[in-house]
């Protein structure tokens, strides 16, 4: 049995999910008996022109309320680029794109009627490969978006008109105007190509949304989302021609059952918002099936990396040239920012004087790519860290020592000209190296047989929050009569421990037990603004907002106590004499003065004449990185400060590999991360465990397959493999390093995404160490490992 976010149980009948009578009862309790259900009609083609939609048969079905087509919603939307419609207009661009919707009294009727909607298409030849997208031909389907030049986009995107390049991020640093100058100081130059396919997020909870457009013309949408305020903004923008403004749109988000980026921004949620406006007064529910979770939400983008590295004999890297070609899919309204972020940081955590990086965001007719844990860094670091190992091996330097030589340090120049923040990267290298060396089996050589071999892998990683320069966070904190607190924020709890850490920050300032603090989940009518819960920036950004709100409360407390207990003539209690302790205000000079919060934070402090001072105390705090700027030279990437800081680390692994089956056992993996300050070490450890396991899943098991018409072939957990408890490493060693971030709350910076980033290269490097075979394309499945070993033997003979 599985559960949606509003508690709808599902059962499987004949391999399909069916709604039960009990589930209908749950829905009625939550949204009322007039709740309607929508079924989406999707395109069966990857690229086609819509010639005609006939809804007449569907409208005749008993229980059908409305059938909606794109003609009712000719509105674009998008976070960074407006390239997507709510329902397809004129043409469809991927298998599964929304064409129409049936709204009915119950799910079964909606499904039955949806099958009767007849859509006539003129099928076009789809563009399914990066190479084909770049090879523009004189044919109708050579451009996925012929109107690209007309699309609104943020000023730091650079789309190329009359092409399939939706954005190109360039970096030029040092002597980069020609290859001859770039590599003139190198004794050796090594180049190679690496590839990473698409991946699914695999959150256990489905995407689901309920929209209600009531008779006061208020649109309320309940979503499973990482981005309630961003969704409100995009709903209001897209539906503005219906008369809706931001004040008329409300988004409510309860706990989310897994996000990993797949529930950031806006995908299917806008369908519930739009459809609700067509049946005023009736809530409408849209819920994806498990297969739709695979093909009709954001996917992690595939990438092809061409890497060239120049290096001196002593191991010093002199130059890096890298071309990244990203399969961004049919719409890039969010995914283009993945490409942008990767391009800014594709040099990795290395000090390299000469850089030439081109990161291409390319339209294809596959499902839209978007944010996924790691936000492009996992993808490009597979190639980069694999290649760094190869470079070290070819010049005869230990791969770990090679990284020590070139690791970036505080103050080093970044790719776009800024300076690197404080970090403990070298400490991370040393501690992971020591951990792996101590764990290396003393009898590895003796235990090695014709079939069983051991290998060690090592990699560095880094990541900056990929966010616009004006990504804001805010917080309200309000006291209750008993002295307890409610914290109102719009950052989202998605399993990372956000609620606990925000409560810890407030508790530290106000000296209140954490169990007396409740952190509320988002409701955009009640909770203040938060950009999104993405980019591993919430501890830093929202944490700073909560810290400021708590400090605001502390200052209000001191002021009202001074007003009530100072006599204004030089005597009495002064502001500087006060401090907080154990849910009360106290005086340094008068140990007997103790004023409990519950005695005044709501009702005020009574004076001798019967009047009161104070009133309900409410704190507010907001934070925006005012030093950040995304504006730069589009030809060089120089200028501005697009990244607020980097979190860095290192990881190492030991594998036992069976050469006959390709099966890998992992005796030990270690990961060190510099999170600035671990506000809750147990939660940081949990992120290391979870991130590493998710990363190992992408490199060893997960494999998304499409046919030659753009249809996903393995849209289920039966065919899309994810690991089980039996596949977990024997031991995962978390190592916490703390080099305080000067502008972080108590020195903290984010680390939630980072812990999966090194998984792919450490496995690839360990396989090469064990077998001598370098595999340059993910995933590194058992089958691929065996075939690679056999092919290497053939080539040797």
């Amino acid at each position: 049995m599985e559960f949606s976010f509003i508690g709808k149980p599902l059962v499987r009948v004949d391999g399909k999910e069916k709604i039960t009578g009990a589930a209908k009862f749950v829905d009625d309790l939550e949204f009322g008996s007039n709740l309607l259900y929508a079924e989406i009609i999707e395109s069966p083609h990857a690229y086609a022109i819509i010639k005609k939609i006939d809804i007449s048969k569907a409208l005749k079905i008993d229980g059908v309320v409305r059938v909606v087509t794109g003609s009712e919603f000719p509105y674009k939307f998008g976070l960074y680029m407006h390239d997507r419609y709510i329902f397809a207009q004129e043409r469809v661009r991927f298998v599964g794109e929304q064409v129409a919707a049936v709204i009915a009294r119950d799910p079964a009727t909606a499904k039955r009627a949806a099958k009767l909607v007849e859509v006539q298409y003129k099928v076009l030849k789809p563009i399914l490969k990066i190479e084909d997208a770049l090879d523009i031909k004189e044919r109708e389907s050579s451009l996925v978006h012929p109107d690209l030049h007309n699309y609104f986009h943020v000023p730091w995107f650079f789309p190329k008109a009359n092409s399939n390049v939706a954005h190109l991020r360039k970096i030029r640093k040092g002597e980069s105007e020609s290859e001859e100058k770039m590599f003139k100081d190198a004794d050796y130059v090594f180049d190679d190509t690496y590839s990473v396919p698409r991946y699914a997020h695999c959150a256990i909870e489905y995407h689901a949304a309920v929209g209600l457009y009531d008779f006061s013309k208020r649109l309320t949408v309940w979503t499973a989302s990482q981005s309630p305020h961003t969704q409100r903004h995009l709903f209001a923008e897209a539906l503005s021609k219906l008369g809706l403004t931001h004040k008329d749109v409300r988004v409510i988000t309860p706990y989310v059952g897994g996000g990993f980026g797949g529930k950031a921004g806006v995908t299917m949620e806008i369908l519930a918002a739009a459809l609700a406006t067509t049946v005023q007064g009736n809530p409408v529910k849209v819920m994806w099936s498990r297969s739709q979770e695979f093909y009709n939400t954001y996917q992690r983008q595939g990438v092809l990396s061409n890497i060239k590295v120049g290096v001196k004999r002593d191991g010093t890297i002199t130059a890096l040239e890298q071309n990244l070609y990203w399969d961004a899919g049919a719409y890039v309204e969010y995914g283009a920012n993945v490409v942008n972020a990767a391009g800014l940081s594709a040099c990795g955590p290395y000090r390299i004087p000469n850089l030439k990086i081109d990161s291409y965001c390319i339209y294809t007719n596959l499902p839209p790519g978007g944010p996924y844990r790691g936000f492009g860094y996992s993808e490009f670091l597979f190639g980069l860290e694999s290649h760094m190992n190869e470079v070290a091996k070819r010049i005869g330097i230990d791969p770990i020592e090679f990284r020590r030589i070139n690791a970036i340090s505080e103050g080093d120049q970044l790719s776009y000209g800024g300076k690197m923040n404080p970090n403990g990267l070298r400490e991370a290298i040393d501690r992971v190296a020591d951990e792996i060396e101590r764990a290396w089996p003393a009898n590895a050589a003796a235990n090695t047989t014709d079939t069983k071999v051991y290998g060690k892998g090592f990699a560095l990683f880094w990541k900056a929050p990929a966010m616009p320069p004006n990504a804001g966070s805010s917080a309200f904190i309000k006291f209750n009569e008993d002295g307890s607190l409610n914290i109102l924020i719009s950052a989202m709890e998605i399993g990372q421990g956000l609620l606990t850490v925000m409560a810890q920050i407030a508790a530290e300032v106000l000296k209140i037990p954490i169990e007396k603090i409740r952190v509320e989940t988002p409701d955009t009518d009640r909770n203040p603004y938060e950009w999104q819960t993405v980019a591993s920036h919430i501890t830093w950004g929202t944490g700073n907002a909560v810290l400021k709100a708590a400090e605001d409360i502390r200052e209000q407390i001191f002021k009202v106590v001074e007003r009530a207990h100072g006599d204004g003539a030089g005597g009495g209690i002064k502001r500087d004499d006060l401090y907080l302790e154990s849910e009360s205000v106290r005086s340094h000079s008068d140990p007997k003065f103790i004023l409990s919060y519950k005695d005044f934070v709501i009702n005020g402090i009574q004076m001798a004449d019967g009047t009161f001072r104070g009133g309900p105390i409410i704190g507010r705090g907001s934070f925006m990185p005012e030093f950040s700027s995304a504006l730069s030279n589009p030809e060089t990437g120089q200028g501005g400060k697009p990244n607020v800081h980097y979190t860095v680390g290192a990881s190492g692994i030991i594998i036992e590999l069976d050469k006959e089956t390709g099966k890998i056992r992992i005796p030990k993996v270690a990961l060190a991360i510099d999170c600035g300050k671990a506000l809750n070490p147990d939660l940081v450890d949990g992120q290391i465990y979870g991130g590493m396991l998710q990363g190992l899943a992408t490199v060893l098991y997960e494999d998304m397959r499409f046919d030659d018409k753009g249809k996903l072939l393995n849209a289920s957990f039966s065919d899309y493999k994810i690991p089980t408890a039996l596949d977990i490493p024997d031991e995962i060693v978390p190592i916490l390093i703390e080099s305080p971030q000067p502008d972080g709350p108590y020195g903290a910076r984010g680390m939630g995404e980072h812990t999966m980033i090194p998984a792919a290269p450490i496995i690839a490097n360990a396989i090469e160490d064990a077998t001598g075979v370098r595999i340059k394309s993910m995933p590194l499945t058992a089958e691929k490992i065996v075939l690679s070993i056999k092919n290497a033997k053939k080539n040797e003979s």
Side-chain angles (χ1 to χ4, degrees):
M1 183 175 288
E2 300 190 53
F3 293 85
S4 79
F5 81 105
I6 59 167
K8 175 176 294 301
L10 300 168
V11 296
R12 298 192 67 83
V13 180
D14 298 327
K16 297 183 179 180
E17 291 131 350
K18 301 288 184 180
I19 193 166
T20 66
K24 181 69 168 65
F25 176 71
V26 170
D27 271 352
D28 289 350
L29 286 178
E30 185 76 20
F31 298 106
S33 58
N34 62 334
L35 175 67
L36 304 177
Y37 298 84
E39 183 70 16
I40 308 301
I41 292 91
E42 301 173 331
S43 167
H45 306 293
Y47 203 20
I49 294 172
I50 301 171
K51 297 179 68 177
K52 181 182 179 182
I53 302 177
D54 185 351
I55 64 174
S56 58
K57 293 180 182 177
L59 286 171
K60 295 176 182 177
I61 299 296
D62 238 9
V64 170
V65 178
R66 283 289 302 270
V67 180
V68 177
T69 67
S71 63
E72 296 184 58
F73 295 102
Y75 314 130
K76 287 194 184 81
F77 71 95
L79 185 59
Y80 296 100
M81 178 182 285
H82 289 187
D83 67 348
R84 191 170 186 177
Y85 288 98
I86 300 171
F87 290 94
Q89 306 287 312
E90 298 181 1
R91 63 178 66 195
V92 291
R93 293 181 170 88
F94 70 97
V95 174
E97 182 164 8
Q98 299 87 346
V99 176
V102 172
I103 304 173
R105 298 289 178 192
D106 62 83
T109 299
K111 287 178 183 293
R112 185 157 55 94
K115 294 176 181 178
L116 299 177
V117 175
E118 298 176 355
V119 185
Q120 294 180 18
Y121 298 95
K122 177 185 176 182
V123 179
L124 304 175
K125 184 177 180 180
I127 295 173
L128 305 177
K129 296 180 180 179
I130 290 171
E131 300 91 327
D132 295 336
L134 294 174
D135 183 20
I136 302 300
K137 294 182 174 65
E138 293 298 325
R139 57 182 172 85
E140 187 176 18
S141 59
S142 63
L143 294 178
V144 179
H145 286 266
D147 296 329
L148 172 61
H149 59 286
N150 291 326
Y151 292 166
F152 166 83
H153 58 83
V154 293
W156 58 90
F157 278 10
F158 307 107
K160 304 303 175 186
N162 300 313
S163 80
N164 287 313
V165 178
H167 172 48
L168 171 57
R169 165 54 65 189
K170 293 182 178 181
I171 290 292
R172 302 291 187 269
K173 176 187 168 189
E175 301 283 351
S176 58
E177 60 267 27
S178 71
E179 283 206 14
E180 182 181 354
K181 287 186 176 181
M182 251 190 98
F183 293 97
K184 64 182 173 61
D185 295 329
D187 296 316
Y188 306 100
V189 177
F190 302 103
D191 66 299
D192 219 323
T193 299
Y194 302 84
S195 64
V196 177
R198 289 168 162 253
Y199 286 97
H201 293 80
C202 297
I204 297 303
E205 177 204 42
Y206 298 168
H207 279 70
V210 175
L212 171 62
Y213 185 54
D214 64 29
F215 291 105
S216 71
K217 296 186 177 180
R218 156 59 65 91
L219 175 63
T220 302
V221 187
W222 292 262
T223 69
S225 168
Q226 296 174 230
S227 315
H229 276 274
T230 290
Q231 289 191 340
R232 183 192 67 164
H233 175 60
L234 294 183
F235 295 164
E237 270 193 342
L239 302 174
S240 61
K241 291 183 179 179
L242 301 180
L244 288 169
T245 64
H246 288 72
K247 67 176 173 53
D248 305 315
V249 181
R250 178 186 187 188
V251 175
I252 301 172
T253 303
Y255 294 100
V256 172
F260 313 118
K263 290 170 183 162
V266 171
T267 55
M268 57 80 71
E269 301 86 6
I270 201 167
L271 299 174
L275 293 175
T277 65
T278 69
V279 286
Q280 191 171 12
N282 294 272
V284 181
K285 180 175 182 179
V286 183
M287 186 168 111
W288 269 185
S289 66
R290 176 55 65 191
S291 59
Q292 285 173 306
E293 285 294 311
F294 280 94
Y295 69 77
N296 212 338
T297 62
Y298 292 131
Q299 296 175 359
R300 193 173 96 170
Q301 300 173 71
V303 67
L304 183 70
S305 307
N306 298 328
I307 306 174
K308 181 182 288 188
V309 171
V311 63
K312 288 181 174 290
R313 288 184 179 86
D314 65 2
T316 303
I317 300 172
T318 64
L320 168 69
E321 180 179 355
Q322 184 165 195
N323 293 315
L324 296 163
Y325 301 96
W326 297 85
D327 168 16
Y331 300 101
V332 305
E333 49 89 18
Y334 204 140
N337 201 43
V338 176
V339 176
N340 191 70
L344 289 168
S345 303
C347 58
Y350 295 102
R351 182 179 58 254
I352 305 175
N354 303 299
L355 291 173
K356 182 182 178 184
I357 297 169
D358 288 329
S359 188
Y360 294 86
C361 179
I362 300 169
Y363 282 123
T364 66
N365 290 119
L366 292 175
Y372 182 107
R373 188 178 191 173
F375 212 75
Y377 287 73
S378 297
E379 295 91 296
F380 80 73
L381 274 166
F382 167 68
L384 185 66
E385 283 299 285
S386 295
H387 198 61
M388 290 303 184
N389 249 51
E390 286 297 295
V391 171
K393 174 185 171 185
R394 293 186 193 184
I395 64 175
I397 295 180
D398 176 77
I400 297 175
E401 183 57 30
F402 180 75
R403 289 173 169 87
R404 285 194 186 99
I405 293 169
N406 295 288
I408 198 166
S409 298
E410 180 181 359
D412 285 345
Q413 190 179 57
L414 297 164
S415 66
Y416 48 83
K419 299 296 184 183
M420 181 62 182
N421 53 274
N423 69 89
L425 183 55
R426 281 181 171 78
E427 181 183 349
I429 293 171
D430 292 341
R431 291 181 65 180
V432 170
D434 289 346
E435 190 68 42
I436 295 300
E437 196 57 40
R438 285 199 306 271
W440 181 247
N443 57 350
N447 282 343
T448 297
T449 66
D450 289 341
T451 60
K452 185 170 69 173
V453 290
Y454 292 88
K456 293 184 285 188
F458 195 89
L460 303 186
F461 62 91
W462 73 343
K463 186 184 179 298
M467 61 190 199
N470 61 339
S473 301
S474 54
F476 295 153
I477 303 179
K478 65 185 186 72
F479 266 113
N480 300 305
E481 290 85 345
D482 61 354
S484 63
L485 289 176
N486 290 89
I487 300 177
L488 279 69
I489 55 175
S490 289
M492 197 62 228
E493 176 60 68
I494 52 175
Q496 79 279 47
L498 160 79
L499 304 184
T500 299
V501 171
M502 295 303 109
Q504 283 183 263
I505 291 172
E508 180 69 20
V509 175
L510 299 173
K511 308 305 178 186
I512 295 176
I514 194 170
E515 58 268 21
K516 295 193 73 171
I517 301 174
R518 181 183 178 92
V519 185
E520 305 294 348
T521 55
D523 175 341
T524 59
D525 265 13
R526 176 191 67 191
N527 296 35
Y529 180 84
E530 176 66 51
W531 171 60
Q532 296 189 89
T533 302
V534 297
S536 298
H537 86 292
I538 291 299
T539 294
W540 180 71
T542 312
N544 268 321
V546 170
L547 179 63
K548 289 184 177 184
E551 291 172 343
D552 181 38
I553 280 185
R554 182 176 62 191
E555 191 59 29
Q556 291 182 56
I557 288 173
F558 289 157
K559 283 182 177 180
V560 73
V561 172
E562 182 182 37
R563 286 175 57 213
H565 291 277
D567 61 13
I573 295 175
K574 297 298 182 184
R575 159 71 179 79
D576 293 342
D577 191 43
L578 298 172
Y579 68 98
L580 306 181
E581 188 67 45
S582 301
E583 305 176 69
S584 61
V585 188
R586 304 189 182 207
S587 168
H588 290 292
S589 60
D590 182 3
K592 293 182 179 180
F593 181 84
I594 299 175
L595 186 59
S596 177
Y597 292 161
K598 62 184 176 60
D599 293 333
F600 74 96
V601 291
I602 296 293
N603 296 322
I605 301 172
Q606 189 171 22
M607 308 300 289
D609 63 359
T611 61
F612 287 81
R613 302 290 181 270
I617 294 178
I618 300 174
R620 66 174 186 174
S622 64
F623 176 77
M624 181 178 288
E626 296 181 350
F627 56 84
S628 181
S629 170
L631 299 180
S632 62
N633 185 323
E635 295 303 315
T636 67
Q638 299 303 303
K641 188 174 182 181
N643 292 334
V644 294
H645 58 251
Y646 283 91
T647 297
V648 301
S651 185
I653 198 167
I654 297 171
I655 66 168
E656 177 189 288
L657 188 151
D658 187 317
K659 292 195 291 183
E660 285 191 346
T661 66
K663 178 69 176 176
I664 287 178
R665 185 179 72 85
I666 302 173
K668 189 165 199 169
V669 59
L671 186 143
I673 190 163
D674 184 353
C675 52
K677 174 65 177 177
L679 301 184
N680 190 311
D682 287 344
L683 290 176
V684 175
D685 286 354
Q687 289 296 303
I688 291 175
Y689 299 140
M692 178 54 65
L693 292 174
Q694 187 172 7
L696 292 174
T698 62
V699 65
L700 292 174
Y701 303 100
E702 299 180 46
D703 191 6
M704 194 166 262
R705 301 287 184 93
F706 294 87
D707 67 15
D708 60 2
K709 295 182 179 180
K711 181 179 180 181
L712 181 62
L713 297 174
N714 55 335
S716 73
F717 285 139
S718 297
D719 300 315
Y720 186 91
K721 299 299 183 184
I722 59 175
T724 70
L726 297 177
D727 303 302
I728 292 174
D730 296 352
E731 184 181 11
I732 298 176
V733 180
I735 301 170
L736 309 189
I737 295 169
E738 296 179 317
S739 302
Q741 181 64 31
D743 54 9
Y746 301 104
R749 55 178 165 263
M751 51 72 62
E753 294 173 88
H754 306 65
T755 56
M756 78 167 288
I757 293 172
I762 61 175
I763 286 285
N765 291 338
I767 291 171
E768 193 280 332
D769 183 53
T771 67
V773 175
R774 170 62 62 184
I775 304 178
K776 302 171 189 175
S777 63
M778 288 177 62
L780 309 183
T781 59
E783 178 185 21
K784 186 182 289 185
I785 293 169
V786 171
L787 291 174
S788 298
I789 292 171
K790 288 183 177 179
N791 288 336
K793 286 182 179 178
K794 286 181 182 179
N795 293 334
E796 288 175 2
S797 60

